Amino acid sequence: MDLMSFSGNVPCKAVAVHCFAGVDPVLVLDGASSRAFDLFKAKGKKGEFFRYPMEGAVNELFLVGLGDKDKASQSTFRNAVAETVRKVSKLGISDLAVVLPVAPDQAISSAVAEGAVIGDYRFDRYRQPKEGDAVVSVEKLYLKDGVEEGLSRGKVLGRAQIVSRDLANRPGNDITPQTLAEEAQRIAKEGGLDCTVWDEVKIQEERMSALWHVGKGSQNPPRFIHMVYRPAGTPKKKLAFVGKGVTFDSGGLCIKGREGIRTMKCDKTGACNVLAIMEAVSILKPDVEVHGIVGAVENMPDGAAYRPDDIVRARNGKTIEIVNTDAEGRVTLADTLSYASELDVEAIVDMATLTGAVATALGNYTAGLISDHDGLSQEIAAAGAKAGERYHRFTMDDEKLREQIDSPVADLLNSGGPGGGTITAGMFLKEFVKPEIPWAHLDIAGVDFYDKEFDCYGKGASSFGVRTCLEYILG
Ligand code: BES
Ligand code: MN
Ligand code: ZN
């Protein structure tokens, strides 16, 4: 998609005028000005969308309601433009001018570009076109008085979200640990990044026995992936992003039921987010060294699968007694977080579809932010607010809950039972991060996937977390 700024006359045939509730925009139509609200009997409420075909150089006018001006943020514009693009593309419109009721600054221009890029994204790699589909995509979008730099930044952010969604939407028979590693290598090659991939032999040699055990029951052997972006000059800071990369989570021998097993192709969302973030930084080139780390593995039941009662040793030397093979994400992260802790980084952020409990606690629109580090938690929450991704923070300083993951025969249990499941999962991960490194764990299990379109989300993988991490990196 081409994203451009314009001033003066509308440069294409279709224009979408966005307005706040109760703030009636003046439209200049065929040289005469009119009040839009009268024309459409509109109020500017969120979700309002009116179409007005016209004669002349501009032949389609849309009026889009944004809701209350007082509540407006960058996300208001990101979401509204995404919905506008989704609707006009279904009408066969490929060139669109967007007018906002505020002068778009750099941040708003970026949000608009993101919304435009992700608005009409659909996962159609595996389907024939159907009636009711968008007949075209929006190819050119002009933002009135937009900031070019913001538009080009937003385009990169938007595309990163599509990269993550596209990967996460691809099923387990397509994306295996090996093909995920190949995608990482492709992104690294195109972006000039370093990328190291370890196979199942090297994984064992490198003492990642926890990761290896989880993958033992699958025909598709595990892969460890480490991507690095290094800026040209001295980096301002060094950060590591770690993603849970379970390409399919059947539960293993503690197999899931027929309901719970559905959508478990999305159990690699954290990893897909990491690959997408690495692609974006390879293009935006911030003064920050960025590490992207993924333990890619498929969790399957089999004669060779790891079992309940098995005791496995992670890279940092700690042993884990397996209570439940379905609590596999944290077992893989034990090794990848240990590895990340060996790097000389100022902070580690992991993203993982880790616990069903987080969705019970917070629903499907807010992710868990589990961290005992106040500074990093505030930075992530602030980045999330800009990005329009909501977090609720949990701390882990609770002795009684911590007892739930004590094992009589090993250093830790891999499950603390249902009570406080999101926090005890965080406490487990904490054992594999060097205490001096600020660390935050984002539990995205409730927000990784939507089965209806709304705001800037389509059906399927959401890429939740990508915008937050990129805002955090870019500052
Ligand atoms: N991948 C799941 C978590 C999940 C559940 C993600 C629902 C998205 C939607 C994870 O591996 C898992 O199975 N967790 C268990 C942990 C339990 C066994 C301690 C859970 O949440 O039930
Ligand atoms: Mn599981
Ligand atoms: Zn899982």
Side-chain angles (χ1 to χ4, degrees):
M1 180 185 290
D2 290 333
L3 293 140
M4 293 148 286
S5 171
F6 79 97
S7 53
N9 286 342
V10 172
C12 57
K13 286 183 172 168
V15 59
V17 177
H18 294 68
C19 54
F20 290 128
V23 187
D24 195 352
V26 178
L27 302 175
V28 183
L29 302 173
D30 297 327
S33 55
S34 39
R35 305 300 298 200
F37 283 9
D38 292 343
L39 192 64
F40 293 103
K41 307 226 178 322
K43 295 195 170 66
K45 283 194 298 199
K46 185 175 184 300
E48 262 180 16
F49 184 83
F50 292 99
R51 181 185 187 188
Y52 189 69
M54 302 187 297
E55 303 283 323
V58 177
N59 62 12
E60 290 275 11
L61 169 68
F62 301 98
L63 192 72
V64 185
L66 297 170
D68 278 351
K69 187 176 178 181
D70 301 342
K71 290 190 194 145
S73 66
Q74 279 175 49
S75 296
T76 308
F77 301 109
R78 181 189 302 104
N79 290 336
V81 171
E83 302 239 32
T84 300
V85 164
R86 192 179 300 142
K87 286 172 182 152
V88 304
S89 66
K90 285 184 180 145
L91 299 170
I93 288 164
S94 63
D95 296 9
L96 180 72
V98 167
V99 179
L100 300 183
V102 294
D105 58 10
Q106 156 111 4
I108 292 175
S109 301
S110 177
V112 165
E114 276 184 61
V117 171
I118 60 185
D120 63 352
Y121 165 73
R122 274 181 307 126
F123 178 61
D124 41 21
R125 198 182 170 92
Y126 287 101
R127 70 197 273 282
Q128 305 275 339
K130 256 196 215 158
E131 223 179 280
D133 279 358
V135 263
V136 293
S137 315
V138 174
E139 307 282 354
K140 291 197 170 77
L141 189 126
Y142 304 88
L143 175 62
K144 185 160 196 308
D145 302 324
V147 178
E148 298 283 356
E149 217 182 299
L151 289 170
S152 52
R153 176 189 187 272
K155 180 174 168 174
V156 177
L157 267 71
R159 287 171 63 156
Q161 291 163 65
I162 288 181
V163 166
S164 175
R165 291 179 190 188
D166 243 341
L167 281 172
N169 281 328
R170 288 166 66 184
N173 61 343
D174 174 1
I175 295 290
T176 62
Q178 172 59 24
T179 55
L180 189 64
E182 285 165 13
E183 293 290 338
Q185 281 165 323
R186 180 185 54 75
I187 288 168
K189 194 168 174 208
E190 284 168 10
L193 306 173
D194 288 347
C195 182
T196 307
V197 173
W198 290 345
D199 67 8
E200 67 276 23
V201 176
K202 182 77 172 161
I203 283 171
Q204 293 169 77
E205 286 169 9
E206 288 287 343
R207 307 180 325 280
M208 294 192 168
S209 184
L211 173 66
W212 179 73
H213 267 85
V214 175
K216 245 158 47 83
S218 171
Q219 302 271 353
N220 301 305
R223 295 289 180 263
F224 170 77
I225 305 164
H226 179 193
M227 305 167 83
V228 195
Y229 161 77
R230 290 192 177 81
T234 318
K236 262 198 330 219
K237 54 183 174 182
K238 299 180 182 179
L239 303 172
F241 295 85
V242 178
K244 169 174 171 180
V246 177
T247 57
F248 186 75
D249 180 14
S250 70
L253 290 176
C254 305
I255 197 163
K256 289 178 183 291
R258 66 185 69 170
E259 299 294 325
I261 205 163
R262 279 282 287 167
T263 74
M264 281 302 138
K265 67 172 182 178
C266 281
D267 214 18
K268 60 186 182 299
T269 301
C272 300
N273 284 354
V274 167
L275 266 56
I277 290 163
M278 295 311 294
E279 185 188 80
V281 296
S282 79
I283 300 167
L284 294 171
K285 304 195 189 309
D287 297 335
V288 181
E289 183 172 302
V290 185
H291 295 261
I293 296 156
V294 166
V297 65
E298 188 178 44
N299 187 23
M300 294 297 252
D302 181 82
Y306 82 133
R307 332 159 172 74
D309 299 349
D310 280 358
I311 299 173
V312 307
R313 187 182 297 277
R315 185 172 163 96
N316 74 347
K318 291 191 185 173
T319 56
I320 305 160
E321 183 188 3
I322 305 301
V323 187
N324 188 327
T325 61
D326 198 12
E328 83 299 336
R330 66 198 75 181
V331 181
T332 70
L333 288 162
D335 280 333
T336 46
L337 285 170
S338 297
Y339 179 94
S341 293
E342 295 163 14
L343 304 169
D344 169 32
V345 291
E346 269 106 285
I348 300 173
V349 177
D350 78 72
M351 285 172 283
T353 45
L354 209 64
T355 66
V358 78
T360 305
L362 302 176
N364 299 110
Y365 308 97
T366 302
L369 190 173
I370 299 96
S371 178
D372 280 338
H373 196 279
D374 292 341
L376 180 58
S377 296
Q378 278 153 17
E379 283 186 80
I380 297 288
K386 274 200 220 162
E389 293 177 331
R390 252 186 346 210
Y391 296 89
H392 182 88
R393 182 179 172 197
F394 297 94
T395 53
M396 291 169 282
D397 47 0
D398 185 323
E399 282 174 35
K400 294 312 288 175
L401 276 181
R402 179 62 185 74
E403 288 170 10
Q404 291 177 205
I405 55 168
D406 281 339
S407 162
V409 292
D411 297 324
L412 290 159
L413 292 178
N414 83 322
S415 168
T422 298
I423 298 173
T424 54
M427 289 172 160
F428 176 94
L429 299 182
K430 188 176 176 169
E431 297 293 324
F432 302 91
V433 182
K434 281 197 185 138
E436 61 272 23
I437 306 178
W439 159 70
H441 156 54
L442 309 183
D443 193 336
I444 53 173
V447 295
D448 59 325
F449 187 96
Y450 293 115
D451 43 31
K452 59 176 194 322
E453 296 175 344
F454 72 100
D455 290 349
C456 63
Y457 301 105
K459 283 188 185 131
S462 69
S463 69
F464 198 111
V466 169
R467 290 201 299 271
T468 303
C469 292
L470 285 171
E471 285 290 352
Y472 167 61
I473 295 168
L474 301 169

